[in-house]
Amino acid sequence: MQKNAMANQIPQNPVSGQGESRLISNGDANVSSEHLRVDLHSHTLCSDGHLTVAELIDRATNYQIDQLAITDHDTVAAIPLAKAHIQENALPLRLITGIEVSTSWQGFEIHIVGLNFDEQHPAITEIVLKQQQTREDRARRIGDKLAKAGFINVYDEAKKLAGEGSITRAHFAKVLLNQGHVSAMQKAFDKYLGKGQRAYVKPGWVEIAQAVAAIRAAGGISVIAHPMKYGLSTKWLRRLILDFKAVDGQAIEVASPQMNPQQQQMLFGFCHEYELLASVGSDFHYPTRWSDLGRNLAVPEGTNVVWQQWT
C-alpha cells in the first residue's frame, strides 16, 4: 500500500529548477531538444528498488520521461515486464534495455551500466547467472556473520524481501532496520555491512573487462555508473577511466540528482578529454526530497550523449 502511494505521489513540476537547462535531442523529429527527458539509471523490485516495474513505468510516464532505462543490479528480469506494460497500455515511453553490473577494480566495487543491448544474448545470460550465484554466496556469508553477531534469521528475511529479484546488502539493511537493530538503513552499513565492518563480505564480482565485453557482445554501450560515489581521488578516478577505456568502455554517467555543478563540470571535461560519451541517470530506487526520476539530468548543448547512438 505504501509503495503504491509513493508511486502515485506526483508533484506538479517533477523537474523543478531544471526548466532553463536544455537536454540534447536524440534526433527524434517529434521531440525538440528543449523538451527531451532521458533517465538511463533506475531500479525496480527486481533488485533493490522499492517500486514494481509497472509503478516505475507509470511514474516515468507521469513525469513525461521520453526514454527510461531500467538498470537493475545484475539482472534483466524487469525488461520483459516493462515492455509488456508499455505495450498493453500504449504508453508514450521508450524503454532502453539496461543492467547495472557490479565489478571489481583495484579493491573497489565499481558499477558498470549496460544500455541498449539484446537482453537475451548468451553473453548477458552468462554474466547474469555468474553474478547471481556470486550474490547468493555472498548473502549466505553475510547472514552467517550477522547470526554470529546475534542477529537471527536475517538472511531468511532478506531473501523474502528480495523475492525473485537480486539480493543485495540493502535488503539486509532493511531487515536490520525493521527489526529495530539500527535507526536508519545507512546505520546498518556504517555498523555492520560496510567495508571493514563485522558483517562485511568481500564480493567476488567479475572484472570490468568481463562486464564491458558481455555488454558489447550483446550490442550495448557500457557506462561507468555514478563515478562520484566511490570515494576516489581525481587521480584514481582518472586511472579508472583510463582502464575502463582500455577495455572498450564507452561512456561516463555525468549527471545525477546528487552531483553538484562542479562535479558535473569535471565529468563533462573527462568525457571530452578521453573521448567518451556522456550518460545521465537518477539511480532511482524510490522518491525522496533529494532524488527522483529525471531530476538534475540536464547536459550542455553540444555534449556527445549515449542516446544519440541508438537513434
Side-chain angles (χ1 to χ4, degrees), residues 42 44 51-63 65 68 70 78 81-83 85-87 89 91 93-95 293:
S42 67
T44 73
L51 304 186
T52 66
V53 174
E55 287 170 343
L56 178 68
I57 292 297
D58 289 344
R59 191 176 188 85
T61 303
N62 288 336
Y63 274 38
I65 302 293
L68 177 75
I70 296 178
L81 300 176
K83 288 180 177 179
H85 185 72
I86 291 170
Q87 184 174 0
N89 295 278
L91 299 177
L93 175 69
R94 181 172 183 175
L95 179 72
L293 286 173

Side-chain angles (χ1 to χ4, degrees), residues 56-114:
L56 178 68
I57 292 297
D58 289 344
R59 191 176 188 85
T61 303
N62 288 336
Y63 274 38
Q64 297 181 314
I65 302 293
D66 294 298
Q67 297 188 23
L68 177 75
I70 296 178
T71 55
D72 282 318
H73 293 281
D74 300 309
T75 180
V76 291
I79 304 304
L81 300 176
K83 288 180 177 179
H85 185 72
I86 291 170
Q87 184 174 0
E88 289 168 4
N89 295 278
L91 299 177
L93 175 69
R94 181 172 183 175
L95 179 72
I96 305 301
T97 305
I99 190 172
E100 185 171 5
V101 183
S102 299
T103 73
S104 294
W105 177 81
Q106 300 288 341
F108 294 93
E109 180 176 316
I110 304 297
H111 292 184
I112 302 299
V113 161

